[in-house]
Amino acid sequence: MSLTLYLHPLAAFCHKVLIALYENHVDFRSETVDLMDPGSAASHLARWPVGKIPVLHDAARNRVVPETSIIIEYVQQHYPGPLPMLPKEQDARLDARLWERFFDLYVSEPMQKIVTDRLRPEGGNDPIGVSQARKTLDTAYAVIDGQLAGKEWAIGGDFTIADSAAAPCLFFSSIVHPFAADHGNLSAYFDRLLARPAVKRTLEEARPFFSMFPYREAMPERFASGAAFV
Ligand SMILES: N[C@@H](CCC(=O)N[C@@H](CS)C(=O)NCC(=O)O)C(=O)O
């Protein structure tokens, strides 16, 4: 086995890659990066100075691959499985990329802003930034709800990189900024994501770490107990 994924089991962007790997039965080992631990953080910065997780290392090619979109594309290129996360057909591929970007930029990022604000030291909070993040999520939820009309997955009938991006960020964003009652397409899509085996496996592996989530008290019981995805 030549692939090592450096990750944290609770991190949404790490889940995005795990879902793609599980969908494709890719053989890999994972190694936890604890960015709060100076030794672990230093090793990771040596690997990828930006310090973000996840990062993939491929010993067979002596290559470090950062950035979730690139990791997923790299794995598809060199270790393909049964489900192309990036569709072969060009227009579908553009759609998959567009919606993957959309979930990363307009759901994951504002969700992270809200979550990490809770970790800031007293007096260091950014209420204006958090309020803007909540507005971005409102807009994103409405756009996604419209996009999903008549669709099973983010771009249509096939599960793609857009859905692997969507599942983890919607999981956490639904806790810190619940979906509006009239976003039925979004809610139904989220339930389909939770029922997907690769998503269930990823969340079940993350469950032992849920107590570390800064909004743990807001987590619905069906998530905390795993009933929503076990
Ligand atoms: N654009 C990056 C984003 C990765 C990212 O934001 N990862 C988070 C964990 S979910 C992280 O590394 N947070 C730690 C930090 O920012 O210091 C990607 O797609 O890989």
Side-chain angles (χ1 to χ4, degrees), residues 8 10-14 16-17 35 44 48 50-54 66-69 71 100-101 104 108-109 111-112:
H8 190 280
L10 191 59
F13 275 106
C14 301
K16 173 182 164 186
V17 170
L35 293 169
H44 192 61
W48 178 231
V50 172
K52 297 281 183 189
I53 48 173
E67 288 294 317
T68 51
S69 317
I71 295 171
E100 179 238 359
R101 294 287 70 228
D104 279 9
S108 243
E109 282 197 5
M111 176 275 288
Q112 282 183 329

Coordinates of all heavy atoms in Angstrom, one line a residue, residues 8 10-14 16-17 35 44 48 50-54 66-69 71 100-101 104 108-109 111-112, ligand 1:
H8 N -7.4 14.6 10.1 CA -8.0 14.6 11.4 C -9.3 13.9 11.3 O -10.1 14.3 10.4 CB -8.0 15.9 12.1 CG -8.4 15.8 13.6 ND1 -9.7 15.6 14.0 CD2 -7.6 15.7 14.7 CE1 -9.7 15.4 15.3 NE2 -8.5 15.5 15.8
L10 N -12.1 14.3 12.6 CA -13.3 15.2 12.8 C -13.4 16.2 11.7 O -14.4 16.9 11.6 CB -13.3 15.8 14.2 CG -14.6 16.5 14.6 CD1 -15.8 15.6 14.7 CD2 -14.4 17.2 16.0
A11 N -12.4 16.3 10.8 CA -12.3 17.5 9.9 C -13.1 17.2 8.6 O -13.0 16.2 7.9 CB -10.9 17.8 9.6
A12 N -14.0 18.2 8.3 CA -14.9 18.0 7.2 C -14.2 17.9 5.9 O -14.6 17.0 5.0 CB -15.9 19.3 7.1
F13 N -13.1 18.6 5.6 CA -12.4 18.5 4.4 C -11.7 17.1 4.3 O -11.6 16.5 3.2 CB -11.4 19.6 4.2 CG -12.0 20.8 3.6 CD1 -12.2 22.0 4.4 CD2 -12.3 20.9 2.2 CE1 -12.7 23.1 3.8 CE2 -12.9 22.0 1.7 CZ -13.1 23.2 2.5
C14 N -11.4 16.5 5.4 CA -10.8 15.2 5.4 C -11.9 14.2 5.1 O -11.7 13.2 4.3 CB -10.2 14.8 6.8 SG -8.8 16.0 7.2
K16 N -14.4 14.7 3.1 CA -14.6 14.8 1.7 C -13.8 13.8 0.9 O -14.2 13.1 0.0 CB -14.3 16.2 1.2 CG -14.4 16.5 -0.2 CD -14.0 18.0 -0.5 CE -13.7 18.2 -2.0 NZ -13.2 19.6 -2.2
V17 N -12.5 13.7 1.3 CA -11.6 12.8 0.6 C -11.9 11.4 1.0 O -11.9 10.5 0.1 CB -10.1 13.2 0.9 CG1 -9.2 12.1 0.4 CG2 -9.8 14.5 0.2
L35 N -3.1 19.3 15.0 CA -2.5 20.6 14.8 C -2.3 21.3 16.1 O -1.6 22.3 16.1 CB -3.4 21.4 13.8 CG -3.4 20.9 12.3 CD1 -4.4 21.5 11.5 CD2 -2.0 21.0 11.7
H44 N 3.7 18.1 10.1 CA 2.8 18.4 9.0 C 3.2 19.6 8.2 O 3.1 19.6 7.0 CB 1.3 18.5 9.5 CG 0.3 18.5 8.4 ND1 0.2 17.4 7.6 CD2 -0.5 19.5 7.9 CE1 -0.7 17.7 6.7 NE2 -1.2 18.9 6.9
W48 N 3.7 20.0 4.3 CA 2.9 21.0 3.5 C 2.8 22.3 4.3 O 2.0 22.4 5.2 CB 1.5 20.4 3.2 CG 0.5 21.3 2.4 CD1 -0.7 21.6 2.8 CD2 0.7 22.0 1.2 NE1 -1.3 22.4 1.8 CE2 -0.4 22.7 0.8 CE3 1.8 22.0 0.3 CZ2 -0.6 23.4 -0.3 CZ3 1.7 22.8 -0.9 CH2 0.5 23.4 -1.2
V50 N 1.6 25.1 4.2 CA 0.3 25.8 4.4 C -0.4 25.2 5.7 O -1.2 26.0 6.3 CB -0.6 25.6 3.1 CG1 -2.0 26.2 3.4 CG2 0.1 26.3 1.9
G51 N -0.1 24.0 6.0 CA -0.6 23.4 7.2 C -2.0 22.9 7.2 O -2.6 22.5 8.2
K52 N -2.7 22.9 6.0 CA -4.1 22.4 6.0 C -4.1 20.9 5.9 O -3.1 20.3 5.3 CB -4.8 23.0 4.7 CG -4.9 24.5 4.8 CD -6.0 24.9 5.7 CE -6.2 26.5 5.6 NZ -7.1 26.9 6.6
I53 N -5.2 20.3 6.3 CA -5.4 18.9 6.2 C -6.7 18.7 5.4 O -7.5 19.6 5.4 CB -5.5 18.1 7.5 CG1 -6.4 18.9 8.5 CG2 -4.1 17.9 8.1 CD1 -6.7 18.2 9.8
P54 N -6.8 17.6 4.6 CA -5.8 16.5 4.5 C -4.7 16.7 3.5 O -4.9 17.6 2.6 CB -6.7 15.3 4.0 CG -7.7 16.0 3.1 CD -8.0 17.4 3.8
P66 N -1.5 17.9 -1.9 CA -2.4 18.6 -1.0 C -3.6 19.0 -1.7 O -3.8 18.7 -2.9 CB -1.6 19.9 -0.7 CG -0.7 20.1 -1.9 CD -0.5 18.8 -2.6
E67 N -4.6 19.6 -1.0 CA -5.8 20.2 -1.5 C -6.8 19.0 -2.0 O -6.5 18.3 -2.9 CB -5.6 21.1 -2.7 CG -5.0 22.5 -2.3 CD -5.9 23.3 -1.4 OE1 -7.1 23.3 -1.7 OE2 -5.5 23.8 -0.4
T68 N -7.9 19.0 -1.3 CA -8.9 17.9 -1.5 C -9.3 17.7 -3.0 O -9.3 16.5 -3.4 CB -10.2 18.2 -0.7 OG1 -10.6 19.5 -1.0 CG2 -9.9 18.1 0.8
S69 N -9.5 18.7 -3.7 CA -10.0 18.5 -5.1 C -8.9 17.8 -5.9 O -9.1 16.9 -6.7 CB -10.2 19.9 -5.8 OG -10.9 20.7 -5.0
I71 N -6.4 16.0 -4.6 CA -6.2 14.6 -4.1 C -7.2 13.7 -4.8 O -6.8 12.6 -5.2 CB -6.4 14.6 -2.5 CG1 -5.3 15.4 -1.8 CG2 -6.4 13.1 -2.0 CD1 -5.6 15.6 -0.3
E100 N -18.8 21.2 -6.6 CA -17.8 20.9 -5.6 C -17.2 22.2 -5.0 O -17.1 22.4 -3.8 CB -16.7 20.0 -6.2 CG -15.6 19.7 -5.2 CD -14.2 20.1 -5.7 OE1 -14.1 20.7 -6.8 OE2 -13.3 19.9 -4.9
R101 N -16.9 23.1 -6.0 CA -16.3 24.5 -5.5 C -17.4 25.2 -4.7 O -17.1 25.8 -3.7 CB -16.0 25.3 -6.8 CG -14.9 24.9 -7.7 CD -13.5 25.1 -7.1 NE -13.3 24.2 -6.0 CZ -12.8 24.5 -4.8 NH1 -12.5 25.7 -4.5 NH2 -12.6 23.6 -3.9
D104 N -17.5 23.8 -1.2 CA -16.3 24.2 -0.5 C -16.3 25.7 -0.1 O -16.0 26.0 1.1 CB -15.0 23.9 -1.3 CG -14.6 22.5 -1.3 OD1 -15.4 21.6 -0.8 OD2 -13.5 22.2 -1.8
S108 N -18.7 25.1 3.2 CA -17.6 24.7 4.1 C -17.0 25.9 4.8 O -16.8 26.0 6.0 CB -16.5 23.9 3.4 OG -16.5 22.6 3.9
E109 N -16.6 26.9 4.0 CA -15.9 28.0 4.5 C -16.7 28.8 5.6 O -16.2 29.1 6.7 CB -15.3 29.0 3.4 CG -14.1 28.3 2.8 CD -13.3 29.3 2.0 OE1 -13.6 30.5 2.0 OE2 -12.3 28.8 1.4
M111 N -19.2 27.7 7.3 CA -19.4 26.8 8.4 C -18.1 26.8 9.3 O -18.2 26.9 10.5 CB -19.7 25.4 7.9 CG -19.8 24.3 8.9 SD -18.3 23.6 9.5 CE -17.8 22.6 8.0
Q112 N -17.0 26.8 8.7 CA -15.7 26.8 9.5 C -15.6 28.1 10.2 O -15.1 28.1 11.4 CB -14.5 26.6 8.6 CG -14.3 25.2 8.1 CD -13.0 25.1 7.3 OE1 -12.6 26.0 6.5 NE2 -12.4 24.0 7.3
Ligands
LIG1 N1 -8.7 24.2 0.4 C1 -8.3 23.2 1.4 C2 -9.1 23.4 2.7 C3 -8.6 22.4 3.8 C4 -9.0 22.8 5.2 O1 -9.5 24.0 5.4 N2 -8.8 22.0 6.1 C5 -9.1 22.3 7.5 C6 -9.7 21.1 8.2 S1 -11.3 20.8 7.7 C7 -7.8 22.7 8.2 O2 -6.8 22.2 7.8 N3 -7.9 23.5 9.3 C8 -6.8 23.8 10.1 C9 -6.3 25.2 9.9 O3 -6.8 25.9 9.0 O4 -5.3 25.5 10.6 C10 -8.6 21.8 0.8 O5 -9.6 21.6 0.0 O6 -7.9 20.8 1.1

